[in-house]
């Protein structure tokens, strides 16, 4: 598997988005054995980066569901996992009655990190990402709280998510060059609006992790073929799935980009992981770049 840099880590060029086994648009969930089998299939395929979050759960009162599955899956995997990096996120709240909110206060984040440590069964979190901005707080102050958690040894590296260029710059200013290791924003053939953040991250050597890289669990990923002919045609020429072509095209956009395709089924991530070895011609990449966005 081709590798890429994620701050101090070297990880597989394709990661696993673990969310769909605990939260997805049609609310259909695999049982725990099947969910763990999906994570194991990713590891079998050479995936060494797994993305999760504390809020990925079927309901507000099962928060931590996804982190528990990822933690169990990594611990129960037969092969070596020393090089596996787990990124989780905090800063979004879910409470009784499915009330969603944000909390970027240091006290809340510290308690969220402590729960994530327990769920994942680790002493320190490899990558802790601020899930979404808390508009009641000053952006730089929350980043400084992440630095406090890092100084306390609870988290090893810091990432942000759903951030614009100005917010990325603030994070760099607070943490210093090299202190911010990743930005996770939505990006797919359907959703191109994060191009500015992708370009900015590439200039600064920050990993860019496109979320919903295939278009999401709400049908976007499944409909890539019917919506975007270029990806389908290129896929047919190579005898691979259109989803693989989407991911290979995304990988070509920047050496700092690491897609995290989601999967409920082992087959999905086994197929997606092969995108790291799919080589597309300049002409094919140009055809892919010219499509999508609607
Ligand atoms: N930071 C944020 O705010 C945020 C928001 C959303 C998501 N995320 C992260 O981004 C990750 C990925 O996003 P996502 O899961 O929403 O959407 P996605 O990766 O665009 O699509 C996931 C769907 O694609 C299907 N799929 C995956 N590989 C496939 C393949 N090779 N062939 C056919 N179908 C395939 C999966 O099907 P099956 O389910 O049938 O396996 C799954 O339902 C999430 O898991 C999560 O970690 C972050």
């Amino acid at each position: 598997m081709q590798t890429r840099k994620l701050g101090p880590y070297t990880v597989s060029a394709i990661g696993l988005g673990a969310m769909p086994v605990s939260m997805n648009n049609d609310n259909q969930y695999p049982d725990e054995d099947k969910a763990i089998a999906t994570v194991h299939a990713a590891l079998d395929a050479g995936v060494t980066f797994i993305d999760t979050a504390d809020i990925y759960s079927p309901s507000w009162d099962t928060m931590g569901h996804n982190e528990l599955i990822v933690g169990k899956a990594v611990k129960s995997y037969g092969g070596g996992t020393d090089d596996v990096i787990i990124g989780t996120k905090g800063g979004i709240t879910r409470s009784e009655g499915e009330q969603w909110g944000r909390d970027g206060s240091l006290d809340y984040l510290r308690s969220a990190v402590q729960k994530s440590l327990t769920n994942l069964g680790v002493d320190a979190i490899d990558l802790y990402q601020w899930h979404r901005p808390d508009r009641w707080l000053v952006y730089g102050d929350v980043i400084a709280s992440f630095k406090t958690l890092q100084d306390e040894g609870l988290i090893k590296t810091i990432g942000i998510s759903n951030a614009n260029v100005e917010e990325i710059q603030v994070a760099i200013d607070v943490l210093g060059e090299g202190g911010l290791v990743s930005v996770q924003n939505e990006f797919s053939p359907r959703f191109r609006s994060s191009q500015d953040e992708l370009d900015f991250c590439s200039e600064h050597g920050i990993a860019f992790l496109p979320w919903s890289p295939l278009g999401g669990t709400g049908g976007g990923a499944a409909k890539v073929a019917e919506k975007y002919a270029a990806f389908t045609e290129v896929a047919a020429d190579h005898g691979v799935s259109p989803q693989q072509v989407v991911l290979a095209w995304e990988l070509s956009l920047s050496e700092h980009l690491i897609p995290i395709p989601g999967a409920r089924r082992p087959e999905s991530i086994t197929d997606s992981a092969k995108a790291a070895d799919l080589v597309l011609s300049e002409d094919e990449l140009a055809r892919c770049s010219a499509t999508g966005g609607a």
Side-chain angles (χ1 to χ4, degrees):
M1 166 79 81
Q2 187 197 138
T3 57
R4 298 219 155 165
K5 290 299 287 177
L6 174 59
Y9 310 118
T10 299
V11 298
S12 56
I14 298 285
L16 169 69
M19 182 187 80
V21 300
S22 305
M23 193 166 88
N24 59 56
N25 282 57
D26 59 16
N27 299 317
Q28 300 293 316
Y29 303 108
D31 62 26
E32 187 173 292
D33 287 350
K34 180 90 182 286
I36 288 176
T38 297
V39 179
H40 285 175
L43 299 173
D44 286 345
V47 168
T48 59
F49 176 59
I50 304 174
D51 182 73
T52 178
D54 57 358
I55 55 154
Y56 294 165
S57 61
S59 56
W60 69 272
D61 53 353
T62 53
M63 263 183 72
H65 183 269
N66 200 246
E67 292 178 326
L68 282 163
I69 285 175
V70 170
K72 272 190 192 177
V74 171
K75 286 198 184 339
S76 64
Y77 186 62
T81 53
D82 288 351
D83 57 347
V84 174
I85 300 303
I86 302 173
T88 190
K89 315 183 196 78
I92 298 184
T93 59
R94 282 176 83 173
S95 49
E96 189 161 3
E98 285 302 349
Q99 305 265 7
W100 292 69
R102 314 271 170 92
D103 196 339
S105 67
L106 178 57
D107 282 352
Y108 172 79
L109 290 172
R110 191 184 282 114
S111 70
V113 166
Q114 273 153 354
K115 285 179 195 152
S116 293
L117 289 171
T118 305
N119 292 336
L120 292 167
V122 296
D123 297 329
I125 290 179
D126 295 330
L127 170 66
Y128 197 61
Q129 304 160 96
W130 186 14
H131 207 151
R132 274 185 192 274
D134 177 346
R135 300 292 177 202
W136 292 97
L137 300 178
V138 175
Y139 200 86
D141 289 349
V142 180
I143 298 296
S145 293
F146 273 67
K147 179 79 175 72
T148 300
L149 298 173
Q150 187 178 38
D151 292 343
E152 290 172 356
L154 298 172
I155 65 176
K156 295 182 188 169
T157 64
I158 299 169
I160 55 179
S161 182
N162 301 297
N164 61 31
V165 167
E166 187 184 353
E167 290 162 340
I168 301 169
Q169 183 64 63
V170 169
I172 293 171
D173 290 347
V174 173
L175 298 172
E177 220 34 74
L180 178 71
V181 312
S182 64
V183 172
Q184 183 176 141
N185 278 7
E186 183 171 10
F187 188 84
S188 67
R190 181 176 66 82
F191 191 96
R192 303 278 188 92
S193 317
S194 289
Q195 185 68 49
D196 286 353
E197 289 87 35
L198 168 57
D199 293 342
F200 191 78
C201 284
S202 300
E203 279 164 31
H204 288 266
I206 296 166
F208 182 86
L209 315 177
W211 64 255
S212 294
L214 298 170
T217 62
K223 288 189 179 147
V224 158
E226 69 188 66
K227 280 190 84 174
Y228 306 115
F231 292 99
T232 317
E233 289 159 12
V234 172
D237 289 345
H238 285 266
V240 300
S241 68
Q243 287 82 3
Q244 266 189 56
V245 176
V246 169
L247 297 169
W249 165 72
E250 289 174 359
L251 284 171
S252 79
L253 299 177
S254 167
E255 62 178 317
H256 300 284
L257 186 150
I258 305 168
I260 48 168
R264 257 177 304 193
R265 295 171 302 122
E267 297 81 359
S268 301
I269 188 60
T270 302
D271 184 67
S272 292
K274 291 181 188 152
D277 298 319
L278 178 61
V279 180
L280 303 178
S281 69
E282 289 299 322
D283 174 59
E284 289 170 328
L285 291 171
R287 282 162 59 200
C288 292
S289 288
T291 191

